[in-house]
């Protein structure tokens, strides 16, 4: 296959998905590995800085005399809103200018805010630094995906997106393990300052390793406003169903991660350490397998030329919906953990497929914008409302004297997983129709 075309968002012309032979700006040789390793480090440190307050919440609470509500505000809805909404203008900036420059500024910004959080003496100051962290991290994935689109040859792009995304589970493991250990030995302030310093070094690495990213020639829609351009993209059937799927996966993943640990502790008598070890290690392993294997499979799906680029993750979500339901009512703790594994795998496996498909539909030069819109779908409503919905159902079931009330609340996870699968299958058909019409 030398060239595959997909419909652009204006619906008037096809945008080529270039082959390996086109585009002299693509890196080769050792620069491919250096670029991907650098982006992996960006994703990893981003996740570390984001989740550090989770593992250090009790120490921060005691030191600053915070309430549980204030701790929740540091890591909850405000962070999600700031992170997802700012990803859109930052994605636009990455598409229209230099994504390397946007990424370096974002890393320096969130790293500085992370370090400043280590010297905060009040809730207000710490909250402001967390908003700063969210603002900087909002540009990491859109700018990183724009760099991948301009530097990595199309036949390797899905794998590149998967390797970039692999930093999320690795960062979570590093953040929980190293963050907790450093906080115990040296204090939470040292952990935040140290993480900020490491982020600064990663920014320098990005500047040195990732070469100049030429500004792409803009299409006729350049003069179109950002909001109008985004609305036109979401209005296309293929991207609209992809966006709906992103919303659904947010409602599946957020409650899954928020309540899986408490479920194992409350229902099966795990200690916090046992639940964290079992869930954390398995999630990390599934994250690595899912992002790498998913990325490679996506590349092969694109190269097939059929346009069917969302079927495998959709089917995995259907399987996960069944196993997760069984896990919630399994009588044995270890069996419940095993049955949760397909759910862990499905969330990681979807990442390269969803982002890669979004890039295909949006077209060349709009990759960062497409990424930011998908992030809004998955990162805003689900994380903000999903855990709340599960909590309300669990409380209502417990008040009605229904045993295992949390399991009934967590049934929202398999329901949302089925919704994700159906939306992705519909998007799969729509994208295939675009390929067929080229």
């Amino acid at each position: 296959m030398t060239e595959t075309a997909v419909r652009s968002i204006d619906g008037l012309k096809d945008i080529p998905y270039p082959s390996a032979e086109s585009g002299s700006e693509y890196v080769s040789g050792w620069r491919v590995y250096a670029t991907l390793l650098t982006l992996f480090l960006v994703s990893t440190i981003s996740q570390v800085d984001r989740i550090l307050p989770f593992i250090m919440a009790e120490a921060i609470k005691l030191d600053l005399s915070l309430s549980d509500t204030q701790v929740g505000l540091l890591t909850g809805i405000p962070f999600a809103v700031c992170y997802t909404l700012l990803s859109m203008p930052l994605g636009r900036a990455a598409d229209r200018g230099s994504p390397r420059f946007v990424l370096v500024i974002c890393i320096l910004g969130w790293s500085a805010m992370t370090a400043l959080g280590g010297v905060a003496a009040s809730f207000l100051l710490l909250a402001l630094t967390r908003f700063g962290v969210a603002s900087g991290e909002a540009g990491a994935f859109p700018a990183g995906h724009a760099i991948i689109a301009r530097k990595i040859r199309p036949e390797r792009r899905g794998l590149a997106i998967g390797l970039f995304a692999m930093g999320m589970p690795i960062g979570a493991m590093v953040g929980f393990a190293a963050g907790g250990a450093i906080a115990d030995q040296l204090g939470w302030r040292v952990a935040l300052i140290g993480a900020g310093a490491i982020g600064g070094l990663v920014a320098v690495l990005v500047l040195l390793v990732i070469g100049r990213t030429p500004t792409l020639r803009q299409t006729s829609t350049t003069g179109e406003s950002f909001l109008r351009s985004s609305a036109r993209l979401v209005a296309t059937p293929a991207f609209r169903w992809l966006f709906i799927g992103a919303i659904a996966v947010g409602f599946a993943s957020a409650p899954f991660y928020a309540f899986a640990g408490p479920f194992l502790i409350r229902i099966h008598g795990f200690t916090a350490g046992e639940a964290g070890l079992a869930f954390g290690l398995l999630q990390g392993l599934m994250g690595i397998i899912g992002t790498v294997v998913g990325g490679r499979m996506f590349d092969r799906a694109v190269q097939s030329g059929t346009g069917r680029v969302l079927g495998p993750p959709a089917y995995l979500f259907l399987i996960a919906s069944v196993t997760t339901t069984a896990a919630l009512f399994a009588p044995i703790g270890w069996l419940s953990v095993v049955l949760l594994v397909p759910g862990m795998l499905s969330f990681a496996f979807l990442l390269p497929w969803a982002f890669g498909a979004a890039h295909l539909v949006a077209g060349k030069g709009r990759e960062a914008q497409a990424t930011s819109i998908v992030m809004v779908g998955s990162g805003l409503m689900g994380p903000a409302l999903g855990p709340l919905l599960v909590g309300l159902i669990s409380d209502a079931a417990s008040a009605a004297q229904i045993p295992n009330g949390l399991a009934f609340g967590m049934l929202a996870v398999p329901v949302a997983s089925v919704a994700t699968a159906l939306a992705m299958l519909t998007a799969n058909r729509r994208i295939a129709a675009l390929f067929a019409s080229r």
Side-chain angles (χ1 to χ4, degrees), residues 74-102:
L74 290 174
T75 57
I77 294 177
F79 192 98
V81 171
C82 187
Y83 180 82
T84 53
L85 295 185
L86 282 177
S87 69
M88 297 181 70
L90 288 172
R92 178 76 159 185
D95 278 335
R96 302 187 68 173
S98 168
R100 180 182 67 159
F101 177 77
V102 171

Side-chain angles (χ1 to χ4, degrees), residues 73-74 76-83 86 110 113 123-137:
L73 287 174
L74 290 174
I77 294 177
F79 192 98
V81 171
C82 187
Y83 180 82
L86 282 177
W110 92 60
M113 289 296 103
F123 166 74
L124 178 60
L125 291 177
L126 184 57
L128 289 175
T129 65
R130 296 313 295 172
F131 278 117
V133 172
S135 300
E137 290 189 0

Side-chain angles (χ1 to χ4, degrees), residues 348-371:
F349 187 73
L350 177 64
L351 289 172
W353 295 84
F355 285 125
H359 296 172
L360 283 178
V361 177
K364 189 173 180 63
R366 297 188 180 94
E367 293 89 355
Q369 183 180 10
T371 293

